[in-house]
């Protein structure tokens, strides 16, 4: 089977490419290396260094004729979307549209999209199901939500199958301390530099932190399941910033000094995803709790002396 992975030089896309190769797929990565790295692309995958908005990217897809397109390439930084909404919409909306056109023209069977819990915005409920109204609070959430709508209408008009996966806060090896929800990567980066990590507010705010290998497993399951579905991919568990630091202290075997800063304005206090639909439809479940995921991330990121 031939698959295309846009954003395959990035954090999540590179893990997905590895898993697809291990499953025996011919993997073609489309990435302009704007936030990803050539070194992330696993050996055995073909890197096509081009922009998802370009005619060249469409030509690549026309030539390789993938059965499934995993569309992960994105402008994935919330703050950047607020600073430069035009660029954000260009990459996330136009880029997705260009990849949908390419999929249709190449006769691809399926489009699997990396969406985000940011499409929900500030939901009053602590546990967010797919039925919650999507009211994004950032241009990033809005551009992802808009891309989702393009995918649905493409499917209705052209019969292209899809699965939209709305990820929680993903963490794991190779994540850089920028982009969406990268607090684990930020903390590890501070530890590497021997700078105390900063905790905003009391650190008891919680999120649904999901390990990258669980995200990959959901994507692999979506190869054959989840037709025309929009699914939350999270653990369904709440992990606080203080919990993360406690787990990092366990890995380190020593206390971690921290700085305190005021709570961020507009920060949601508690949020976690309801993953029950993904469990049922994809026959998938998260296999890593925060302790296991943080331990693996720590071991692969920091030398044992730190
Ligand atoms: P990343 O920045 O590591 O990966 C994105 C990749 O896309 C990079 O390799 C980058 O070079 C590439 N890219 C960006 N713009 C491009 C363009 N115009 N043309 C071609 N390639 C381009 O980010 P990530 O954390 O791996 O995120 C992957 C996907 O998952 C994104 O769609 C993101 O929105 C989504 N997501 C991530 C998280 C998270 O917590 N990391 C949570 C929810 C959703």
């Amino acid at each position: 089977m031939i698959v295309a992975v846009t954003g395959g030089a990035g954090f999540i896309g590179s893990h997905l490419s590895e898993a697809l190769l291990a499953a025996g797929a011919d993997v073609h990565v489309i990435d302009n290396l704007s936030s990803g790295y050539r070194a992330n692309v696993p050996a055995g995958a073909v890197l096509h260094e081009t922009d998802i908005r370009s005619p060249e990217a469409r030509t690549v897809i026309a030539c390789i004729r993938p059965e499934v397109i995993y569309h992960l390439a994105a402008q994935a930084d919330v703050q950047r979307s607020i600073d430069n909404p035009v660029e954000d919409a260009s990459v996330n909306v136009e880029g997705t549209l260009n990849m949908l056109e390419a999929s249709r023209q190449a006769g691809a069977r399926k489009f699997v999209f990396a969406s985000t819990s940011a499409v929900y915005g500030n939901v009053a409920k602590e546990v967010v199901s797919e039925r919650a109204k999507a009211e994004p609070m950032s241009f990033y959430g809005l551009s992802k939500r808009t891309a989702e709508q393009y995918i649905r209408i493409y499917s209705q008009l052209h019969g292209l199958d899809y699965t939209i996966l709305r990820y929680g806060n993903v963490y794991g090896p190779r994540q850089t301390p920028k982009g969406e929800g990268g607090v684990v990567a930020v903390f590890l980066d501070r530890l590497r530099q021997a700078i105390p990590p900063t905790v905003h507010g009391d650190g008891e705010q919680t999120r649904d932190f999901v390990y990258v290998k669980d995200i990959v497993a959901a994507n692999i399951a979506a190869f054959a399941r989840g037709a025309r579905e929009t699914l939350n991919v999270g653990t369904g568990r709440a992990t606080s910033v203080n919990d993360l630091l406690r787990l990092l202290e366990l890995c380190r075997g020593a206390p971690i000094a921290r700085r305190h800063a005021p709570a961020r304005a507009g920060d949601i206090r508690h949020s976690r995803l309801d993953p029950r639909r993904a469990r049922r439809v994809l026959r998938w479940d998260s296999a890593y709790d925060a302790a296991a995921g943080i331990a693996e991330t720590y071991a692969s990121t920091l030398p044992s002396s730190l």
Side-chain angles (χ1 to χ4, degrees):
M1 69 202 174
I2 302 169
V3 296
V5 181
T6 75
F11 159 49
I12 302 169
S14 62
H15 286 276
L16 175 60
S17 299
E18 257 172 28
L20 287 164
L21 283 168
D26 285 340
V27 179
H28 291 260
V29 166
I30 296 174
D31 200 301
N32 68 353
L33 306 182
S34 54
S35 63
Y37 302 92
R38 190 180 299 278
N40 280 351
V41 179
V46 181
L47 171 63
H48 304 270
E49 193 181 330
T50 183
D51 195 298
I52 51 166
R53 293 164 289 184
S54 66
E56 192 189 336
R58 280 213 306 273
T59 307
V60 167
I61 289 176
C63 290
I64 61 180
R65 299 186 71 79
E67 181 182 340
V68 174
I69 298 190
Y70 286 98
H71 181 42
L72 283 81
Q75 189 305 107
D77 186 329
V78 174
Q79 189 53 49
R80 221 170 129 170
S81 81
I82 293 165
D83 297 341
N84 194 346
V86 174
E87 170 74 3
D88 178 79
S90 171
V91 176
N92 293 355
V93 181
E94 274 179 55
T96 301
L97 189 49
N98 200 38
M99 291 298 88
L100 284 165
E101 268 299 276
S103 306
R104 180 177 70 80
Q105 285 163 4
R109 177 177 65 79
K110 188 159 191 185
F111 197 85
V112 182
F113 181 57
S115 192
T116 166
S117 55
V119 299
Y120 293 115
N122 209 342
V123 180
K125 287 184 182 156
E126 278 186 23
V127 188
V128 183
S129 86
E130 294 86 352
R131 287 186 306 280
K133 198 163 175 219
E135 284 193 284
M137 303 280 288
S138 67
F139 297 120
Y140 168 70
L142 177 61
S143 63
K144 284 286 184 175
R145 174 70 182 142
T146 308
E148 289 185 350
Q149 302 286 43
Y150 269 101
I151 294 166
R152 279 197 201 96
I153 295 174
Y154 251 78
S155 181
Q156 283 163 14
L157 295 180
H158 302 300
L160 176 66
D161 189 13
Y162 71 85
T163 306
I164 291 167
L165 300 174
R166 290 178 174 164
Y167 308 164
N169 288 49
V170 191
Y171 67 94
R174 295 203 282 274
Q175 187 173 30
T176 59
K178 53 189 181 187
E180 202 196 323
V183 62
V184 173
V186 171
F187 283 176
L188 287 169
D189 187 58
R190 296 293 179 277
L191 295 182
R192 194 188 297 112
Q193 296 184 61
I195 302 169
T198 301
V199 175
H200 291 270
D202 63 4
E204 287 303 308
Q205 62 275 36
T206 61
R207 294 288 178 275
D208 193 330
F209 289 97
V210 53
Y211 190 49
V212 66
K213 286 188 182 168
D214 283 328
I215 294 289
V216 165
N219 274 279
I220 300 281
F223 187 90
R225 301 189 195 108
R228 293 180 169 79
E229 289 277 353
T230 297
L231 302 167
N232 286 339
V233 186
T235 62
R237 286 186 289 267
T239 304
S240 71
V241 171
N242 290 334
D243 290 336
L244 291 178
L245 282 164
R246 271 191 290 275
L247 291 170
L248 287 168
E249 285 181 328
L250 280 177
C251 298
R252 195 187 205 204
I256 294 171
R258 50 203 83 172
R259 286 181 188 149
H260 288 277
R264 286 200 181 105
D267 229 5
I268 304 167
R269 183 74 175 154
H270 299 292
S271 101
R272 63 192 158 94
L273 292 173
D274 179 349
R276 284 178 297 180
R277 190 170 176 85
R279 285 184 191 143
R280 193 174 71 250
V281 170
L282 296 178
R283 286 181 241 147
W284 159 93
D285 202 355
S286 55
Y288 286 78
D289 62 10
I294 292 290
E296 223 176 86
T297 308
Y298 187 95
S300 78
T301 310
L302 289 180
S304 50
S305 58
L306 282 173

